[in-house]
Amino acid sequence: MGLGIIGWIVIGIVAGWLAEKVMGRSHGLITNLIVGVIGALLGGFIASNLLGIDVGGFNIVTLLVAFLGACLLLFLVGLVKRRT
């Protein structure tokens, strides 16, 4: 069973908020949502294509993959910002 739009929003907000706290950033709710959803896509791509982990549904694995993807995204954005 896949996630509906509400599920993606919830996972995105939680993953973005957790990544914000771990990475020492300060964003708003909408930015957390965007970072979380993009992080979920990034993490899901890495997990499924490079690691062979099946990610889907509303569970802790999905949240963990989204969180790790959001942290990676914030890390990469931080690298780009330092160079400019």
Side-chain angles (χ1 to χ4, degrees):
M1 173 192 283
L3 288 175
I5 188 71
I6 301 299
W8 279 112
I9 290 171
V10 170
I11 291 285
I13 290 172
V14 172
W17 179 79
L18 287 171
E20 170 189 73
K21 297 304 176 197
V22 168
M23 299 299 288
R25 307 287 169 84
S26 180
H27 304 126
L29 182 66
I30 299 300
T31 304
N32 286 343
L33 170 62
I34 293 167
V35 167
V37 170
I38 293 173
L41 293 172
L42 179 63
F45 176 80
I46 291 170
S48 64
N49 292 320
L50 300 179
L51 303 175
I53 299 170
D54 186 31
V55 179
F58 196 81
N59 56 44
I60 192 70
V61 174
T62 303
L63 179 59
L64 181 63
V65 167
F67 163 69
L68 293 174
C71 287
L72 178 61
L73 178 64
L74 289 176
F75 174 75
L76 294 173
V77 167
L79 287 178
V80 170
K81 281 188 172 182
R82 276 189 232 156
R83 289 184 179 251
T84 58

